[in-house]
Amino acid sequence: MKILVVDDEQDVKVLFQQRFRKEIRREELEFVFAFSGEDALNVMKTMEQEAVLILSDINMPGMSGLELLDTIKKNYVKPPPLVMMITAYGDEENRTMAKNLGADDFLTKPLDFSLLKDKLINLT
């Protein structure tokens, strides 16, 4: 499964590579990283919609994760990727807005990687 992780914090790449080391080595999961909403859209153009799942931070400079979500849900329809929104703010307003824009799930930081692994296993 190919997963696009979108977060303006560069250290998430190392964190995901450490936490999913076994799954990456066994080629069960492949992670691609983008560090802004704009970067994510450029990466998606080159991937030809190979991403099955997108994990996106909500609060990023420039294009927010919610704006990215809206663009993805409007422009990538065959097949639409699953989008899980990630935020440091577990407030109901962001959760409601993300759900209204078509988010498939909502996670809060710090990420519970055991929970995320369970969710990913259930997708495969």
Side-chain angles (χ1 to χ4, degrees):
M1 175 189 318
K2 189 173 279 193
I3 299 167
L4 173 59
V5 178
V6 186
D7 197 314
D8 58 312
E9 295 180 24
Q10 300 273 334
D11 58 343
V12 300
K13 182 175 182 177
V14 173
L15 187 60
F16 272 82
Q17 289 171 333
Q18 289 173 344
R19 297 294 181 125
F20 291 98
R21 182 176 45 247
K22 291 176 188 173
E23 293 82 1
I24 293 169
R25 195 175 315 124
R26 291 192 301 250
E27 297 182 358
E28 297 169 355
L29 299 175
E30 179 184 350
F31 290 94
V32 177
F33 298 89
F35 301 104
S36 71
E38 296 87 355
D39 188 26
L41 293 176
N42 288 330
V43 168
M44 289 180 72
K45 287 178 190 173
T46 65
M47 291 173 56
E48 299 178 9
Q49 287 190 239
E50 294 173 41
V52 175
L53 174 65
I54 298 168
L55 295 170
S56 177
D57 189 16
I58 287 181
N59 295 305
M60 297 183 287
M63 177 185 283
S64 74
L66 293 174
E67 292 169 312
L68 175 63
L69 171 64
D70 190 40
T71 301
I72 290 168
K73 290 299 183 172
K74 287 180 179 173
N75 298 329
Y76 293 86
V77 294
K78 294 182 179 177
L82 295 174
V83 182
M84 290 184 186
M85 302 306 296
I86 304 170
T87 184
Y89 309 101
D91 66 289
E92 198 56 41
E93 182 180 345
N94 274 332
R95 183 181 302 273
T96 300
M97 190 174 295
K99 290 290 182 184
N100 288 342
L101 290 171
D104 297 288
D105 208 340
F106 194 89
L107 305 168
T108 55
K109 289 182 179 180
L111 276 179
D112 178 341
F113 280 93
S114 295
L115 175 65
L116 180 55
K117 282 184 184 186
D118 288 343
K119 288 177 182 278
L120 295 179
I121 288 168
N122 289 330
L123 291 177
T124 57

